[in-house]
Amino acid sequence: MKKLLLTITIIFCVMTLLAQEKNYSVVKGNVGEKNVNISIINTSFGVSSDSNGDFMMALPKTEKQVGLLFSCIGYEDTLVSVIPNRDTIYLNFKMKETYYMLDAVSVSVDKIKRYSEPNYVMFDFEIYDDKVFILQRKGNTLKECRILVQDLWLDPIDTINVPNHIEPEKIIVDCTESCQLIGKDSVYQVVKMNSSYELMFPAEKERYNKVLRNIIFFTDKYIYFNELQMDGYISNFFRIGKETKEKEMMFVVNDMKTYRDIKVEKQWHIDHPMLGGSPSSEDWERFVQLTWYHTKDNHLDVIDNTLYYFDHFNGKIQQYDEGMNLLHECEIVYPTEEDFWRYKIYKDKAFGKFYTIFGTAVNEIDTNAGKTKSVANADSWISEKIIIYKGNLYAVTKKKNALKEFESYIERIEL
């Protein structure tokens, strides 16, 4: 519940900032009960009240009426119409209880005994609250999807069957450290209710992305953002004070020259096909995304209120306090002439360490000296998504079984 309240708080804060910078009206108030769903009629967007019954949401300013539906199990649905034509609208009332009898039902939870099953394909996973959440689909369809809940040793805990109307794309832990299932149109929070896990608090995907997409992390005083332009070749790191609401630019990285050079070289290869054929335009785009340097690979993170900025563009690692006073700076010492590790930084959120991977070796980064130290061999099964948590590396891998069929599962390596 603390994580849920944290999610609501940060979304409220960002919505308030959006309302100040853009033409939005903030609707807020108290409904007297927690976990009341407040949704906009005829849309999938909504928020939920916190433990005190408080809520807040942002609406585009208009002179037309907007219907808000307040709903909660055990209470009558309440429809309120507002005209969001001013900066702030206050709504305060108490939800009315409803009484009804329920037929007795028997509920059973399907426990997964194996985390590797030939009929299911694992296409994404996340780690949250010491649990591994694995998103699976049956074969190539998105109509039979589920989320396996496992402990850190990959033993089964629970299964969430994803309703057919949700087309899942990925599962994430966002900047509020809440686990979210991203669907084609909506976002659902993975919540533990009593002894089982459920999908709850749906939000409209476009609005969710608009509010949270660029946020990296937040501290007691600031919300930190990374805004990318031109496919990540311009990267702006900035922050907004929670109390002051002032925007402060921190780092600006512009690598448009590389972007122009890449487009020229790409077009040359397309116009001058080599013997045996040249990569297609789509293959080129993927090659660029995976191997060429982007400013988005510059990385900003925080450990104990110390900011760590991996400035690969200038070959430096810098440490700052929140007053933007430089505490320490060192050069990045690449382990080989081919500086593989600059493409991705992995953080162990639990242990406060940074890692990178070059070749098949997992390396811990010494942020004071800028050097790396090999700590494990990940072999060739490394997938596109890797999570390091509590000194262990987790990744989806695919291997052939005795029947020459591919099985996908989570593999865990102790670092």
Side-chain angles (χ1 to χ4, degrees), residues 122-239:
M122 300 183 181
F123 62 98
D124 200 8
F125 77 104
E126 266 296 351
I127 297 179
Y128 161 75
D129 195 26
D130 284 355
K131 307 293 187 299
V132 182
F133 296 84
I134 305 171
L135 184 58
Q136 288 186 320
R137 65 172 181 263
K138 193 169 186 178
N140 294 320
T141 179
L142 287 178
K143 295 299 184 182
E144 295 186 58
C145 295
R146 64 187 185 184
I147 300 174
L148 305 186
V149 185
Q150 301 174 345
D151 62 23
L152 294 179
W153 290 267
L154 304 175
D155 290 326
I157 296 175
D158 201 355
T159 301
I160 306 172
N161 291 312
V162 179
N164 287 337
H165 69 274
I166 302 175
E167 295 185 22
E169 295 179 350
K170 59 183 176 179
I171 189 167
I172 67 169
V173 172
D174 62 22
C175 61
T176 68
E177 296 187 4
S178 298
C179 189
Q180 311 281 357
L181 175 66
I182 308 298
K184 181 178 179 181
D185 301 310
S186 302
V187 177
Y188 295 80
Q189 187 166 343
V190 180
V191 179
K192 185 176 182 181
M193 300 295 293
N194 298 321
S195 60
S196 63
Y197 287 84
E198 300 180 24
L199 298 176
M200 300 183 67
F201 311 109
E204 194 272 324
K205 179 181 176 181
E206 183 177 353
R207 178 152 322 217
Y208 179 89
N209 287 339
K210 187 175 183 180
V211 172
L212 296 177
R213 180 177 56 190
N214 294 330
I215 300 178
I216 315 171
F217 58 85
F218 57 91
T219 61
D220 292 338
K221 295 182 179 179
Y222 298 96
I223 305 173
Y224 290 82
F225 297 79
N226 182 17
E227 186 177 63
L228 304 174
Q229 302 172 27
M230 296 300 293
D231 192 30
Y233 285 89
I234 297 178
S235 184
N236 299 320
F237 292 88
F238 63 93
R239 64 185 183 183

Side-chain angles (χ1 to χ4, degrees), residues 55-116:
F55 74 93
M56 183 185 298
M57 67 194 314
L59 300 176
K61 283 188 177 179
T62 178
E63 295 297 329
K64 298 180 180 179
Q65 286 190 347
V66 177
L68 302 179
L69 179 64
F70 295 75
S71 60
C72 184
I73 296 175
Y75 297 86
E76 292 183 3
D77 289 352
T78 303
L79 180 62
V80 178
S81 294
V82 298
I83 300 178
N85 57 0
R86 57 185 187 273
D87 291 340
T88 308
I89 298 174
Y90 296 94
L91 293 176
N92 295 286
F93 63 91
K94 186 173 178 62
M95 296 288 289
K96 185 177 180 181
E97 292 187 40
T98 185
Y99 300 93
Y100 48 86
M101 296 296 292
L102 291 176
D103 294 330
V105 294
S106 176
V107 180
S108 62
V109 179
D110 177 28
K111 296 291 184 181
I112 302 301
K113 301 186 184 304
R114 296 188 303 158
Y115 60 87
S116 173

Side-chain angles (χ1 to χ4, degrees), residues 125 344 346 357 381-388 393-396:
F125 77 104
K344 184 71 175 178
Y346 301 91
I357 295 174
W381 55 260
I382 286 294
S383 64
E384 291 186 10
K385 185 168 186 178
I386 295 168
I387 297 175
I388 296 177
L393 183 147
Y394 298 81
V396 174

Side-chain angles (χ1 to χ4, degrees), residues 380-414:
S380 59
W381 55 260
I382 286 294
S383 64
E384 291 186 10
K385 185 168 186 178
I386 295 168
I387 297 175
I388 296 177
Y389 186 76
K390 289 193 173 181
N392 294 282
L393 183 147
Y394 298 81
V396 174
T397 184
K398 296 180 181 180
K399 292 183 179 180
K400 288 185 178 181
N401 59 22
L403 300 176
K404 303 299 182 181
E405 297 173 325
F406 274 104
E407 292 187 358
S408 59
Y409 52 93
I410 298 293
E411 194 156 48
R412 175 176 175 262
I413 289 181
E414 184 177 354

Side-chain angles (χ1 to χ4, degrees), residues 17-75:
L17 298 177
L18 288 174
Q20 291 180 346
E21 292 187 356
K22 300 181 180 180
N23 196 25
Y24 281 85
S25 175
V26 175
V27 181
K28 61 182 179 179
N30 186 282
V31 291
E33 296 295 335
K34 63 182 180 180
N35 297 334
V36 175
N37 291 314
I38 304 101
S39 59
I40 303 173
I41 295 297
N42 297 325
T43 75
S44 59
F45 173 71
V47 298
S48 299
S49 61
D50 63 18
S51 59
N52 298 317
D54 295 320
F55 74 93
M56 183 185 298
M57 67 194 314
L59 300 176
K61 283 188 177 179
T62 178
E63 295 297 329
K64 298 180 180 179
Q65 286 190 347
V66 177
L68 302 179
L69 179 64
F70 295 75
S71 60
C72 184
I73 296 175
Y75 297 86

